[in-house]
Amino acid sequence: MRRAPAWARGLAYAAATLVSLLFLYPYAWMLSSAFRSTRDILAAPLALWPANAGTDAFASIREAGGVSLARAILNSLAITGASTLLAVAVTALGAYALTRRPHAPAFRLLRAGFLLSMMYPYMLLVIPVYLVMFKLGLLGGYTGIILFLSLGPVQFFLFEQFFRTLPLEVIEAATVDGAGEAQILFRVILPMAAPVVATVATITFLLNWAQWFPVLVISATPDTYTLPVALLALNGELGTNFQGIMAMALVTTVPPALVFLAAQRHVMGGLTEGAVKG
Amino acid sequence: MPAMRREGVFYLFALPFAALTILFGLWPILLSIQVSFTDSATALQPAPAWVGLANYRAIFADPVFLAALVRTLAYTVLAVAANLSFALAFALLLDSALIGRGRLFFKLAVFLPVVTPDVAGYVVWRWLYDQSFGAVNAALRLLGLPAFGGLASPRTAMLALLIAELWHHAGFYVLIFLANLAILDRAQAEAAQIDGATALQRFRHVTLPQLRPAMAVNLVYAVIQFLKTFTAVVVMTKGGPADATNFVSFYAYQQFDSAQYGQATAMATVLFAIVLLVALTAYRGAERGRA
């Protein structure tokens, strides 16, 4: 093929760069606003480089949205961590059973029920979930939040798709050797599944870190608030602590951004695969 | 006997998954549908009063709900069109021979917002639109353009919301298109070029038909996504100004918050029915396409 003329390539790069900068600008603005003074911002709302950098904003959010920043960070880490581990274990086992015995009537019913519940408008599902949590006595605690966040469609589709591609000969060979199903799963399948487990864990971490509505609804007090919920509460408070809000948004954004950049290939690959095949 | 025990293990494996699906999926949905047939004042009591379809009649006689429903559908059409056309254009640009180095950077730039917590992203956008702090109007002033009402004006609030949501979601659709473009049959386009087809003709008759799978996936995802628009409204507008961004999901939540459980769950059921209809239609369309 002929190489495209230089002006065409220049134009393409200009367009792609412009779009990318527009998408990244909110991050730069959030970053600089967290470190600039109100006077500086009002004088030059567009500027990104802080004239007088300061960390006052971070001191102002030691208590934010009814919870201490340290506690919100710990809540985020604990809730996201625990729900990620649980989601990976529960979904992997479930998807494995459902793909190994796809024609069992109970499993067909379970799969249909799961897909149906994943289609229910999520934020409206959270409302009846409040009633269920109430009936189960799980309102206000970590257990209810963690359990609710341990079920998701992306995780299920990724595992299901992986287990469907398993070579059956390997399983048959192990069966002939007298291995039980539990042995086959833990000794044969699990080592092969390590990459998909890592991908699902990373994606679940990113998705659950961002969760806010279930956390807000199941919480009885701000003591169980995670970072996004505390940020939302701070943003809704009377009086404008603009820099504090930007600092809080920064604290909420940085951990998943770092995880994503470190594992971008797996995250982008996993999310597209889960979507296309699901 | 050993064979039965062997089969039993699979049920054991599936047990936790089944428990979570029932407890936090099916039970709340059934409960929600049940509440939609009861009187709000008694809905949470052990013996709720059944009122038949009264809640459904009430919401379809409620002008605020009907306006919210029409607004939700209109916003969905606009948002889906904007997101998918942007995503397709950007994916074609990145996939073209014109872009070589730096492709990964461009991809990461549009995808980073997808994994950014939506609350954080929308909080930043809310302030970007702010009349005194915000960068949007400062930039327009700098370029000598008229000011943008943003979230403050009923005429522009929906557009402002749409832009922020595009920022958050479009990267995902770009990625789906790129995955499809990567498996395109290049020989067809080259053959068409040799036959003298123009770039536009090649795109319409060779590339676009091959992009049908990605288009179908994106369409279903985007329609469901924007029908359910909620977080952006809570963070940025609270349904205002003057109901300009009051969508069904937000209105239903407000009703629930003011203890109108029956009507809130009736609205939820209506939205669920619409989403289910879209999903099933798309699924059947995809099955037919495969056959």
Side-chain angles (χ1 to χ4, degrees):
Chain A
M1 261 238 270
R2 252 175 336 115
R3 202 164 153 76
W7 64 265
R9 276 181 290 136
L11 209 61
Y13 270 94
T17 308
L18 180 68
V19 170
S20 301
L21 291 182
L22 285 175
F23 270 74
L24 292 177
Y25 182 82
Y27 296 97
W29 193 70
M30 166 176 68
L31 186 67
S32 87
S33 298
F35 292 101
R36 294 169 78 202
S37 72
T38 308
R39 202 144 47 95
D40 286 2
I41 295 170
L42 287 173
L46 277 177
L48 291 179
W49 193 253
N52 317 292
T55 53
D56 296 354
F58 291 90
S60 79
I61 54 164
R62 286 238 294 274
E63 288 285 332
V67 60
S68 78
L69 181 61
R71 174 137 197 173
I73 293 174
L74 287 177
N75 282 345
S76 270
L77 288 172
I79 289 175
T80 310
S83 62
T84 300
L85 288 179
L86 202 60
V88 169
V90 169
T91 324
L93 278 174
Y96 179 68
L98 264 59
T99 26
R100 282 290 309 278
R101 291 292 177 269
H103 302 299
F107 285 174
R108 293 176 76 152
L109 206 63
L110 175 58
R111 189 171 187 276
F114 173 76
L115 295 185
L116 194 71
S117 60
M118 289 299 125
M119 257 179 257
Y120 198 83
Y122 188 66
M123 61 282 155
L124 299 177
L125 179 67
V126 171
I127 292 167
V129 161
Y130 174 88
L131 305 176
V132 167
M133 291 292 173
F134 172 74
K135 291 186 186 209
L136 295 174
L138 292 175
L139 277 186
Y142 289 97
T143 315
I145 298 173
I146 290 167
L147 285 177
F148 183 68
L149 294 184
S150 299
L151 203 61
V154 185
Q155 292 87 331
F156 180 77
F157 288 134
L158 280 171
F159 276 127
E160 186 179 58
Q161 212 181 307
F162 171 78
F163 291 134
R164 275 181 183 163
T165 62
L166 280 180
L168 286 176
E169 306 83 58
V170 178
I171 296 171
E172 272 161 32
T175 314
V176 171
D177 289 345
E181 284 300 338
Q183 265 178 314
I184 292 178
L185 175 61
F186 290 104
R187 298 258 175 83
V188 182
I189 309 292
L190 217 52
M192 288 200 284
V196 73
V197 167
T199 299
V200 174
T202 313
I203 290 173
T204 309
F205 180 89
L206 294 173
L207 293 175
N208 284 1
W209 182 274
Q211 291 280 1
W212 66 276
F213 196 42
V215 181
L216 178 66
V217 168
I218 302 170
S219 292
T221 68
D223 284 346
T224 45
Y225 280 7
T226 53
L227 285 167
V229 185
L231 170 62
L232 189 70
L234 179 70
N235 191 48
E237 277 172 10
L238 286 174
T240 313
N241 178 7
F242 171 64
Q243 287 86 351
I245 292 171
M246 288 300 124
M248 192 78 179
L250 189 63
V251 175
T252 310
T253 301
V254 166
L258 291 180
V259 169
F260 166 64
L261 291 178
Q264 46 93 4
R265 223 159 47 86
H266 300 284
V267 173
M268 294 200 288
L271 278 175
T272 35
E273 220 171 300
V276 173
K277 302 294 165 59
Chain B
M1 219 34 189
M4 251 180 81
R5 239 176 68 193
R6 211 175 168 94
E7 288 308 301
V9 175
F10 288 113
Y11 291 93
L12 204 64
F13 288 163
L15 192 65
F17 180 71
L20 286 184
T21 302
I22 292 168
L23 281 183
F24 304 123
L26 298 175
W27 187 17
I29 292 175
L30 290 176
L31 201 62
S32 173
I33 294 173
Q34 182 198 325
V35 170
S36 76
F37 294 107
T38 64
D39 178 41
S40 293
T42 64
L44 302 187
Q45 287 163 14
W50 296 90
V51 294
L53 291 171
N55 289 315
Y56 290 88
R57 273 199 294 273
I59 63 169
F60 281 108
D62 174 3
V64 181
F65 172 72
L66 292 177
L69 190 59
V70 172
R71 198 176 292 118
T72 305
L73 297 176
Y75 179 77
T76 303
V77 171
L78 287 176
V80 169
N83 273 271
L84 296 198
S85 33
F86 165 79
L88 179 60
F90 196 65
L92 285 169
L93 178 66
L94 291 194
D95 186 68
S96 75
L98 298 174
I99 300 279
R101 286 172 61 142
R103 213 170 147 261
L104 180 63
F105 168 78
F106 300 134
K107 231 166 92 173
L108 289 176
V110 294
F111 196 77
L112 186 60
V114 176
V115 293
T116 297
D118 47 4
V119 170
Y122 295 143
V123 162
V124 172
W125 272 98
R126 183 203 144 175
W127 288 99
L128 274 171
Y129 287 130
D130 190 83
Q131 303 294 335
S132 41
F133 286 96
V136 171
N137 274 306
L140 292 173
R141 257 197 311 278
L142 197 73
L143 296 171
L145 294 168
F148 180 57
L151 303 166
S153 156
R155 282 179 45 216
T156 54
M158 203 191 263
L159 176 64
L161 211 62
L162 194 148
I163 294 170
E165 279 218 288
L166 187 139
W167 174 82
H168 180 61
H169 292 295
F172 179 76
Y173 308 126
V174 171
L175 223 59
I176 301 282
F177 278 129
L178 279 175
N180 198 158
L181 283 166
I183 55 166
L184 229 52
D185 183 3
R186 305 271 161 188
Q188 284 189 27
E190 275 166 39
Q193 191 170 19
I194 292 165
D195 289 347
T198 65
L200 198 65
Q201 283 173 326
R202 289 202 304 274
F203 173 69
R204 260 200 65 189
H205 299 289
V206 181
T207 309
L208 213 50
Q210 290 193 72
L211 282 177
R212 268 191 61 181
M215 196 60 98
V217 168
N218 275 341
L219 199 61
V220 176
Y221 267 66
V223 168
I224 294 176
Q225 186 80 63
F226 293 110
L227 275 176
K228 301 194 292 190
T229 293
F230 182 66
T231 304
V233 176
V234 171
V235 175
M236 296 169 72
T237 66
K238 303 254 187 294
D243 271 350
T245 56
N246 193 6
F247 300 129
V248 171
S249 55
F250 185 73
Y251 188 52
Y253 173 63
Q254 273 187 321
Q255 294 290 304
F256 189 86
D257 224 23
S258 49
Q260 294 295 321
Y261 305 113
Q263 297 193 16
T265 47
M267 290 177 199
T269 310
V270 169
L271 196 57
F272 181 42
I274 297 175
V275 170
L276 212 56
L277 199 70
V278 170
L280 288 179
T281 311
Y283 182 72
R284 286 189 55 181
E287 288 290 292
R288 202 172 310 134
R290 217 171 286 163

